[in-house]
Amino acid sequence: MPHTESNLHVVLGSGPAGTAVATELARRGHPVRLVDRSGTGPEIAGVDRVKGDVASAEGAAAAIRGAGVVYHCVNVAYQLQVEVMPRIQAAVLGAVEAEGARLVVLDTLYPYGETHGEVMTEDTPWHATALKGRMRAELDEKYLAAHREARASVVLGRSADFVGPGVLNSTLGAAVFPGALTGGEVLTLGDIDLPHSYTDIRAVAAGLATLGESPHGDGRVWHLPTASALTTREVLGMIEDRVGRPLKIVTLDEPRPFGPFDQVFMDAYAEMFYQHTEPQIVSSGAFEAAFRTEPIPMGDTLDATLAWYRGLLAERP
């Protein structure tokens, strides 16, 4: 497969993951272009923000022009994923093939489907039955096929639920930390006494950046560095210790609107609710051994996340 010699790293999507990846790449000394549909946002040292829409072949080609490595961190509203994500993949993958760039994809655990509590490794079978899980599995098959057929160099980095500075739309995000800090309600889902893996967004960024710097890891799925699973109740207890008060925990045992999760979101999320009624345990040992790294301990993650949310709350009128 042809490869460009460019040292430009292009990050597609400026959500928490894309922003964290761009920041990490710039910190490592790479020239970075961060592309989203607005081209605006807070300035990031060493990062060039560019407006672009990668849902079309023309937009994707323009967004990645001149890139040596492309990081696909684009996501869309939950209820639109099954329709829109395949279209974005086709545009991005086609553009990468034409440009000769390597492609690093931020991926989810959805292709595995229900695991009945078994530890998820890169060898776990893909048994998704939900629409979004099957869609993600089909996308991943196409990514890996492009690599096998020497049309593009592709690598996938899978993450558990995000947590960390800048993360809002996660089960350990805006439904938890503001209430913990202000004495308000803290939303949890399903059985909070089951072990549940969470991946620090900074480890997501560092892991994807490492994959972008390491062509020898191409052609497969990697689990990004993820701390050992705790029960969600244990995580909440660690938050209680840090804020110095008991949390007012509200637990939803079935999908329904609450706090930042409206009816539209919950209707789309219902098929994935199994993630909160069975253990979700992710092993990232293969990545840690191959790239000589370690996950961020949950205590450090919570310290950084609480500090970020304190700043966010202080900015509000």
Side-chain angles (χ1 to χ4, degrees):
M1 62 189 77
H3 290 285
T4 179
E5 296 301 320
S6 171
N7 64 352
L8 174 64
H9 292 243
V10 175
V11 181
L12 307 178
S14 65
T19 299
V21 171
T23 303
E24 175 66 16
L25 289 166
R27 187 191 68 79
R28 296 185 182 200
H30 298 292
V32 181
R33 177 191 302 154
L34 178 59
V35 182
D36 66 10
R37 295 180 68 181
S38 72
T40 61
E43 182 176 346
I44 303 172
V47 175
D48 181 24
R49 285 187 177 271
V50 174
K51 181 178 181 179
D53 185 352
V54 299
S56 70
E58 297 80 7
I64 75 164
R65 189 165 292 124
V69 186
V70 176
Y71 302 79
H72 180 359
C73 301
V74 178
N75 208 348
V76 298
Y78 215 71
Q79 68 274 14
L80 302 178
Q81 289 186 7
V82 172
E83 173 189 355
V84 176
M85 292 302 289
R87 188 163 70 242
I88 292 174
Q89 181 201 44
V92 170
L93 191 53
V96 165
E97 292 175 13
E99 189 70 28
R102 293 177 54 240
L103 178 61
V104 180
V105 180
L106 173 58
D107 197 20
T108 74
L109 304 176
Y110 291 2
Y112 299 131
E114 297 181 46
T115 60
H116 309 294
E118 292 188 11
V119 176
M120 286 175 268
T121 73
E122 291 87 343
D123 295 324
T124 297
W126 300 5
H127 289 324
T129 56
L131 286 175
K132 281 176 279 297
R134 295 204 307 269
M135 176 269 292
R136 291 283 185 175
E138 290 170 3
L139 297 188
D140 289 355
E141 289 284 6
K142 291 179 180 178
Y143 285 127
L144 296 174
H147 186 90
R148 288 194 305 269
E149 296 163 8
R151 292 185 280 114
S153 292
V154 185
V155 64
L156 284 68
R158 284 186 178 157
S159 169
D161 286 348
F162 292 163
V163 60
V167 175
L168 296 168
N169 297 323
S170 169
T171 53
L172 202 55
V176 171
F177 291 100
L181 287 167
T182 63
E185 292 181 326
V186 168
L187 173 67
T188 62
L189 303 177
D191 186 346
I192 64 174
D193 291 308
L194 297 174
H196 195 105
S197 292
Y198 297 94
T199 308
D200 191 309
I201 195 70
R202 298 168 299 172
V204 171
L208 293 179
T210 295
L211 293 176
E213 295 173 333
S214 310
H216 64 274
D218 289 355
R220 58 164 289 178
V221 172
W222 295 95
H223 286 179
L224 300 172
T226 299
S228 298
L230 301 170
T231 70
T232 299
R233 191 182 300 277
E234 288 174 325
V235 175
L236 297 175
M238 294 172 70
I239 295 173
E240 287 180 333
D241 291 343
R242 284 160 169 77
V243 301
R245 67 163 66 89
L247 302 185
K248 297 178 182 177
I249 299 171
V250 176
T251 301
L252 305 187
D253 56 8
E254 61 183 16
R256 61 180 174 83
F258 189 95
F261 304 117
D262 62 16
Q263 185 71 56
V264 173
F265 175 89
M266 278 301 190
D267 285 347
Y269 191 69
E271 65 172 0
M272 308 305 298
F273 204 76
Y274 69 83
Q275 296 174 107
H276 309 287
T277 58
E278 67 174 26
Q280 291 277 288
I281 307 171
V282 175
S283 170
S284 55
F287 188 102
E288 293 165 36
F291 299 103
R292 298 183 181 180
T293 186
E294 295 182 356
I296 299 171
M298 179 56 74
D300 293 353
T301 295
L302 295 178
D303 289 340
T305 307
L306 285 164
W308 185 83
Y309 270 95
R310 286 190 184 97
L312 180 68
L313 294 173
E315 294 172 0
R316 293 180 176 176

